[in-house]
Amino acid sequence: MSRLSLNQATIKYADLATALSVTTRAGIGSIGLWREPVAQVGLAEAVRLVADSGLRFSSLCRGGFFTTADPAARQQALDENRRAIDETAALAAAGAPGSRPVLVLVAGGLPEGSRDLRGARARAADAVAALAGHAAAAGVVLAVEPMHPIYAADRGVVSTLDQALDLVGDLPAEVAGVVVDTFHVWWDPDLATLIARAGREGRIAAYQVCDWITPFPADALLSRGLMGDGHVDFASVTRWVLDAGYTGDIEVEIFNQELWDADPAEVTQRVKKAYETTIGL
Amino acid sequence: MSRLSLNQATIKYADLATALSVTTRAGIGSIGLWREPVAQVGLAEAVRLVADSGLRFSSLCRGGFFTTADPAARQQALDENRRAIDETAALAAAGAPGSRPVLVLVAGGLPEGSRDLRGARARAADAVAALAGHAAAAGVVLAVEPMHPIYAADRGVVSTLDQALDLVGDLPAEVAGVVVDTFHVWWDPDLATLIARAGREGRIAAYQVCDWITPFPADALLSRGLMGDGHVDFASVTRWVLDAGYTGDIEVEIFNQELWDADPAEVTQRVKKAYETTIGL
């Protein structure tokens, strides 16, 4: 299971030091971090902790949220994303060999009161383009994450892999790619074709795995389960991603209240077991 | 508001006679019915009630649910759909001039324990094709409804208008079309193009309106609101549907617990008001 990476959101309530240590102790070689727990200790300390952990760093979650039409708010969002780019570069440099300077970008939803989905999408594309220079200078890949259409209104207006690939199409592949997250894209009738396209265009910046579970929980954000607990055909999707030439880590990222409430060390064991059964690489 | 049709699901707890009378009394000229309340009084009585109401009949909800891989269960589903086709023909014939013999089809989800989305989708396509002869003989249009991807696992494996149009592509347009329901397709980045394609191919069998509301309610099936209460740009989508040549009724179909709990006569007034503001035709 050399490509397994634990995304920190799966053990959301663990602080950075705990997240790193339970990952190491579980024999998992790689971790994906979130900005909030990094900020909690400060970037310098986070860099030191990552370096000391001996783990690979697979991505930072998350930048984005730049669909606003207000010029001042937009500038603020871009500045925030530049800081996220710098953090990504520092953390990736601190990680073990094989670390990947990937910043996951979630577009953000419709601005308050707006119904102009097309406009919000255009502004998201503009924002990624505006960040490309800074990302290139820092050696960071901006990874646009298409989000399940359930989030189109309030979280992510980029809804399909097709749309994400179009969005980054004019930027160099070493600067802008996409995230393939099974939870978000598993339903797409064109998924096999789109993953192949993403590979052909050199755009698969990250592969995240998480199952789609039913019945749908009361909190729609938490409708995610361990691989094998839901409806996603991981064998097929993983084969498409590998056939598309993706060679990086495979991140397990699961928002699930029951996992969050459990002991992080126990969660890493459950993640390993689910990963072994469904992915195994 | 001559094209407004009230879909009976919006006043779910009203029986057929009540649904017809509150619709008539509200000055709404058309109604979309559901099979369960029709079955409650029996088809013959339902036909009589519809004829007496003077209302147009705009569609019957719903057939479908034919993704099973079990031959006996599949046969049962096809038989049930043939009965639904016959009911559609009878009800449309009983309605006022301008009634439309449209049967809305929801594909159904993944069979229990299955993760073979592609297989389920192929079986849905086969089932529609298998029903085409019966529909043609009855003069009924099979209207495949793409459902929001949130329902792909447990309710409807047909997730996009693109996929629905491909699914009916080999059948005559007078026998098989698609439903454009704003709730299900509003997020689609290609929506304008796909509605234009649906029109060009003569496939728009029904146009249903309903808003996408946030925050998402605890029951994901009820995340629907009156037009204007959510995020859908009805002006744009309606323009695309009209530009595509659709001339039929416009059905208001809303699953919302608060509306269901209200007095049906009051709901019809709220529907009219919301429709007038957002659609107006």
Side-chain angles (χ1 to χ4, degrees), chain B residues 59 100 102-105 128 141-147 158 160-169 172-181 185 191 194-208 241 244 246:
Chain B
S59 76
R100 297 165 62 85
V102 170
L103 175 63
V104 175
L105 298 182
V128 176
V141 183
L142 302 171
V144 176
E145 178 162 28
M147 296 203 89
V158 176
T160 65
L161 210 43
D162 189 52
Q163 189 191 356
L165 288 167
D166 287 351
L167 191 153
V168 298
E174 61 275 19
V175 169
V178 299
V179 180
V180 177
D181 182 326
V185 301
L191 189 56
L194 290 170
I195 290 174
R197 174 187 162 195
R200 209 166 48 241
E201 298 176 359
R203 299 289 182 182
I204 306 181
Y207 176 41
Q208 297 184 328
V241 169
Y246 180 71

Side-chain angles (χ1 to χ4, degrees), chain A residues 115 121 163 187 189 228 230 232 240, chain B residues 115 121 163 187 189 228 230 232:
Chain A
R115 295 187 176 88
R121 286 166 166 165
Q163 190 190 357
W187 58 271
V232 174
W240 298 334
Chain B
R115 295 187 175 87
R121 285 165 167 167
Q163 189 191 356
W187 58 271
V232 173

Side-chain angles (χ1 to χ4, degrees), chain A residues 180 195 204 207 236-247:
Chain A
V180 176
I195 290 174
I204 307 181
Y207 177 41
S236 294
V237 182
T238 302
R239 191 179 65 244
W240 298 334
V241 170
L242 296 184
D243 287 352
Y246 181 70
T247 57

Side-chain angles (χ1 to χ4, degrees), chain B residues 35 37 66 161 233:
Chain B
R35 293 190 73 203
F66 35 40
L161 210 43
D233 175 5

Side-chain angles (χ1 to χ4, degrees), chain A residues 187-223:
Chain A
W187 58 271
D188 193 322
D190 297 324
L191 190 55
T193 308
L194 290 170
I195 290 174
R197 174 185 163 197
R200 209 166 48 241
E201 298 176 1
R203 298 289 181 182
I204 307 181
Y207 177 41
Q208 297 183 329
V209 292
C210 168
D211 216 336
W212 178 274
I213 56 174
T214 53
F216 218 70
D219 183 340
L221 206 58
L222 307 183
S223 58

Side-chain angles (χ1 to χ4, degrees), chain A:
Chain A
M1 300 195 286
S2 61
R3 295 174 70 173
L4 168 58
S5 174
L6 181 70
N7 184 290
Q8 190 172 6
T10 308
I11 48 170
K12 180 177 174 171
Y13 302 147
D15 62 19
L16 181 59
T18 307
L20 292 165
S21 68
V22 298
T23 303
T24 309
R25 278 208 299 271
I28 297 171
S30 180
I31 193 163
L33 299 181
W34 278 63
R35 292 190 73 204
E36 294 76 1
V38 166
Q40 211 171 32
V41 298
L43 182 61
E45 174 68 1
V47 161
R48 194 187 64 73
L49 287 169
V50 168
D52 286 356
S53 73
L55 294 170
R56 293 189 304 281
F57 165 87
S58 55
S59 78
L60 185 65
C61 284
R62 56 198 183 177
F65 294 97
F66 34 39
T67 51
T68 175
D70 174 67
R74 179 177 186 272
Q75 190 54 54
Q76 206 167 26
L78 291 177
D79 291 345
E80 191 60 43
N81 274 278
R82 291 192 184 97
R83 282 190 288 276
I85 289 168
D86 295 343
E87 290 163 21
T88 306
L91 292 164
S99 291
R100 297 166 62 87
V102 170
L103 175 62
V104 175
L105 298 183
V106 168
L110 286 168
E112 185 67 29
S114 168
R115 295 187 176 88
D116 180 12
L117 199 48
R118 203 185 283 218
R121 286 166 166 165
R123 289 192 297 276
D126 286 348
V128 175
L131 294 169
H134 195 88
V140 164
V141 183
L142 302 170
V144 176
E145 179 162 28
M147 297 202 88
H148 195 283
I150 187 181
Y151 302 119
D154 51 1
R155 194 162 297 264
V157 293
V158 176
S159 304
T160 64
L161 209 44
D162 189 52
Q163 190 190 357
L165 288 167
D166 287 351
L167 191 154
V168 299
D170 289 337
L171 301 171
E174 60 274 20
V175 169
V178 298
V179 180
V180 176
D181 183 325
T182 53
F183 173 83
H184 291 300
V185 300
W186 76 279
W187 58 271
D188 193 322
D190 297 324
L191 190 55
T193 308
L194 290 170
I195 290 174
R197 174 185 163 197
R200 209 166 48 241
E201 298 176 1
R203 298 289 181 182
I204 307 181
Y207 177 41
Q208 297 183 329
V209 292
C210 168
D211 216 336
W212 178 274
I213 56 174
T214 53
F216 218 70
D219 183 340
L221 206 58
L222 307 183
S223 58
R224 315 192 189 191
L226 277 171
M227 299 81 71
D229 286 353
H231 304 279
V232 174
D233 175 3
F234 289 100
S236 294
V237 182
T238 302
R239 191 179 65 244
W240 298 334
V241 170
L242 296 184
D243 287 352
Y246 181 70
T247 57
D249 288 335
I250 299 174
E251 272 188 19
V252 176
E253 187 196 44
I254 303 170
F255 298 8
N256 179 294
Q257 195 62 52
E258 194 248 313
L259 290 181
W260 288 348
D261 290 338
D263 174 37
E266 182 212 319
V267 173
T268 57
Q269 294 307 322
R270 291 172 63 185
V271 163
K272 278 179 71 176
K273 200 172 161 179
Y275 182 90
E276 188 169 20
T277 311
T278 55
I279 316 283
L281 301 163

